[in-house]
Amino acid sequence: MTHFLPHRADARASCLHVVAGCVLAAALAACTASGNGERAVPQSGPAGVPVQQADTQQAVGQQAGAQLVDPRPLQGAGAVAFHPAQPTLAWAAGEEVRLRALDRDAGQTRLPVGSWVSDLGFSPDDALWVIADVPQLWRDGAWACSAQGVEADRLLAVDDAGAVVAAYSHSDGVGMLRRQVWLDRQCAVVEERIERLPANVTDAHSDRGAPLGRASLQPLRPDPDDLAARLASVGLPAGAGVKQAVLVSPDRRWWVLDGAQGRTLWRLDPP
């Protein structure tokens, strides 16, 4: 086995009464009442758009006419993560993690992890999960614990109770395998699962992982189509050389973009 390192009942109202003389298409379009006379609540966004797509369209609409300005290089940046509630950015830079407060010019804080950092992400309680030689948890700028014996390439999700990580390998005759591990706040293994990657997943980067279980566990990486739609809705200076959006802060004010100059931090200037 060779280890592989990666560099994400439709509720339809039934119409019981059709007005005589209406054509079928009009009757279906007007059909909104259920059999008990109450209006059915569709599990979709406006005009039948799925909820996730509707949220993306709303965000795009809010950003229309806005410009991305003030690019700042993120030297050596690999994986990046925004704090869920504070204007703080963390990024992997070789064998260390760098943090920057975005609301003030306070320089950078460096965390010497000591081995190559492949992924990272903030938990809601301000801790920072780091995927290095093993998964690590950092609190207040200091190492808190490590999941010894757990190999991981990616950080899939976090919440207040812990994190979900994944490692990938290739087995002859089987194909790509995923080992997904649930960790608690003390970096102890709670559960693990080894599965073959679905046929429609071509690489580890595009793998969304097995079902996370807890509703509080939310995936850290946004859908690439969502990012592309958001980037297309904002303006960029001529010659910016941007290839793609990597991550957008929860308040949509800060963007990390990938381009000819590597990864850069941009600020959204509203219209």
Side-chain angles (χ1 to χ4, degrees), residues 59-69 227-237 242 245 248 252-253 255 257 266-271:
V60 169
Q62 292 172 347
Q63 295 165 0
Q67 298 285 321
L68 291 176
V69 299
L227 285 173
R230 292 189 180 193
L231 183 59
S233 72
V234 298
L236 283 164
V242 169
V248 181
R252 303 188 180 97
R253 184 184 179 192
W255 297 53
L257 306 181
W266 297 71
R267 177 175 54 82
L268 185 69
D269 189 16

Side-chain angles (χ1 to χ4, degrees), residues 29-132:
C31 179
T32 57
S34 63
N36 59 10
E38 297 178 354
R39 182 175 299 273
V41 181
Q43 300 300 313
S44 60
V49 177
V51 172
Q52 182 178 7
Q53 185 178 346
D55 291 343
T56 300
Q57 291 177 349
Q58 180 181 11
V60 169
Q62 292 172 347
Q63 295 165 0
Q67 298 285 321
L68 291 176
V69 299
D70 192 22
R72 310 177 201 178
L74 300 174
Q75 295 187 1
V80 295
F82 285 107
H83 191 286
Q86 301 174 13
T88 302
L89 172 68
W91 71 94
E95 296 187 354
E96 67 179 13
V97 171
R98 301 179 185 179
L99 299 102
R100 176 185 292 175
L102 303 176
D103 58 347
R104 61 185 187 276
D105 188 12
Q108 302 175 8
T109 300
R110 301 190 177 196
L111 307 181
V113 176
S115 58
W116 188 269
V117 178
S118 62
D119 209 352
L120 75 172
F122 287 99
S123 67
D125 62 353
D126 296 338
L128 181 68
W129 285 94
V130 175
I131 304 301

Side-chain angles (χ1 to χ4, degrees), residues 29-263:
C31 179
T32 57
S34 63
N36 59 10
E38 297 178 354
R39 182 175 299 273
V41 181
Q43 300 300 313
S44 60
V49 177
V51 172
Q52 182 178 7
Q53 185 178 346
D55 291 343
T56 300
Q57 291 177 349
Q58 180 181 11
V60 169
Q62 292 172 347
Q63 295 165 0
Q67 298 285 321
L68 291 176
V69 299
D70 192 22
R72 310 177 201 178
L74 300 174
Q75 295 187 1
V80 295
F82 285 107
H83 191 286
Q86 301 174 13
T88 302
L89 172 68
W91 71 94
E95 296 187 354
E96 67 179 13
V97 171
R98 301 179 185 179
L99 299 102
R100 176 185 292 175
L102 303 176
D103 58 347
R104 61 185 187 276
D105 188 12
Q108 302 175 8
T109 300
R110 301 190 177 196
L111 307 181
V113 176
S115 58
W116 188 269
V117 178
S118 62
D119 209 352
L120 75 172
F122 287 99
S123 67
D125 62 353
D126 296 338
L128 181 68
W129 285 94
V130 175
I131 304 301
D133 55 341
V134 294
Q136 303 178 15
L137 184 62
W138 291 66
R139 294 186 183 277
D140 301 322
W143 173 87
C145 63
S146 297
Q148 296 298 333
V150 176
E151 292 186 0
D153 301 320
R154 293 182 56 205
L155 179 64
L156 296 180
V158 298
D159 64 6
D160 284 335
V164 182
V165 303
Y168 300 87
S169 59
H170 186 276
S171 178
D172 295 339
V174 178
M176 285 282 292
L177 298 175
R178 176 208 309 121
R179 182 193 182 202
Q180 186 162 315
V181 180
W182 285 255
L183 304 171
D184 66 16
R185 296 177 61 182
Q186 288 73 44
C187 301
V189 175
V190 176
E191 179 185 351
E192 65 178 286
R193 186 182 306 168
I194 299 177
E195 296 176 320
R196 181 179 179 179
L197 285 186
N200 62 336
V201 177
T202 57
D203 57 63
H205 284 294
S206 59
D207 178 41
R208 306 298 289 178
L212 297 172
R214 299 192 301 271
S216 56
L217 282 166
Q218 297 297 321
L220 291 176
R221 302 296 170 234
D223 183 270
D225 292 338
D226 174 42
L227 285 173
R230 292 189 180 193
L231 183 59
S233 72
V234 298
L236 283 164
V242 169
K243 298 178 182 177
Q244 62 184 359
V246 178
L247 197 63
V248 181
S249 65
D251 62 2
R252 303 188 180 97
R253 184 184 179 192
W254 302 97
W255 297 53
V256 175
L257 306 181
D258 199 9
Q261 304 301 318
R263 296 194 165 178

